[in-house]
Amino acid sequence: MTNTQRLTVRQQEVLALLKGFIKEHGYPPTQKEVASLMGATSPNAAGDMLRSLQRRGVITLANGVSRGITINSQAEKRLVKVNLNTIARLKLNDAAIAEFNQQHEQLRSQHPFTAQHIKTPEPDSDGFYSMELWSVMNLFGHLCFNGADIPFELNLELEGE
């Protein structure tokens, strides 16, 4: 039995609201924002709900942190089949954008006859870049190591997911 199967209907609704907020904004809501999402007038109602979700093990609350809600991985685990040509949408940080532009400029200088065909991808209106998964791994794999700043938000959208 998974953790989400042990939740009440209301707890499942609130967990879905938390996931939706994080997906939309890229960061967790405050307790006051959770209350608003729940339709509650009191932040205490949100606090009670968040603590009940923490007791169930589906979220972790960081004490003294305004946006200290983390959805635990066991609540999020699911099997996703992808191949290296799957399109990933991701938001890049400044270091990743600089690396991205530098690598594309290097390609243009190394291949001057095809330079006009090498286009640096632009973000969409939501700030997401779309590229094949193999390209993400190729471009940013060397930037992802223990202790490093991750070059993109960890919430990736995969085509067809």
Side-chain angles (χ1 to χ4, degrees):
M1 178 181 288
T2 66
N3 286 339
T4 55
Q5 290 173 325
R6 295 184 291 143
L7 300 178
T8 66
V9 171
R10 184 63 176 151
Q11 288 171 331
Q12 290 177 19
E13 289 172 353
V14 173
L15 183 60
L17 291 170
L18 292 172
K19 290 177 183 179
F21 186 98
I22 292 168
K23 183 176 182 177
E24 180 179 340
H25 299 282
Y27 53 82
T30 63
Q31 188 168 315
K32 186 175 180 180
E33 289 168 332
V34 172
S36 176
L37 291 169
M38 291 173 50
T41 56
S42 166
N44 290 336
D48 291 343
M49 177 59 74
L50 292 172
R51 285 187 292 280
S52 73
L53 289 171
Q54 184 175 30
R55 282 191 301 274
R56 297 285 183 137
V58 294
I59 67 169
T60 301
L61 300 173
N63 292 331
V65 178
S66 176
R67 297 186 183 277
I69 301 168
T70 303
I71 297 175
N72 294 336
S73 62
Q74 68 267 23
E76 287 292 298
K77 284 185 181 175
R78 63 188 176 99
L79 181 62
V80 177
K81 290 185 180 182
V82 297
N83 68 44
L84 294 178
N85 291 318
T86 297
I87 301 296
R89 288 183 69 229
L90 62 157
K91 285 191 179 180
L92 304 177
N93 66 20
D94 291 339
I97 291 170
E99 176 73 15
F100 196 42
N101 290 332
Q102 184 270 329
Q103 287 191 27
H104 275 83
E105 194 55 43
Q106 185 178 4
L107 276 173
R108 283 188 205 94
S109 67
Q110 290 174 349
H111 305 284
F113 297 111
T114 58
Q116 72 268 15
H117 301 294
I118 300 173
K119 304 282 189 234
T120 302
E122 295 291 326
D124 63 17
S125 61
D126 295 325
F128 283 87
Y129 288 79
S130 294
M131 60 189 82
E132 293 88 357
L133 194 53
W134 68 263
S135 183
V136 173
M137 294 166 60
N138 183 51
L139 288 168
F140 305 116
H142 69 283
L143 297 176
C144 300
F145 56 90
N146 193 17
D149 289 332
I150 304 297
F152 46 82
E153 288 184 5
L154 293 179
N155 293 327
L156 302 177
E157 291 183 13
L158 300 175
E159 184 179 78
E161 295 304 312

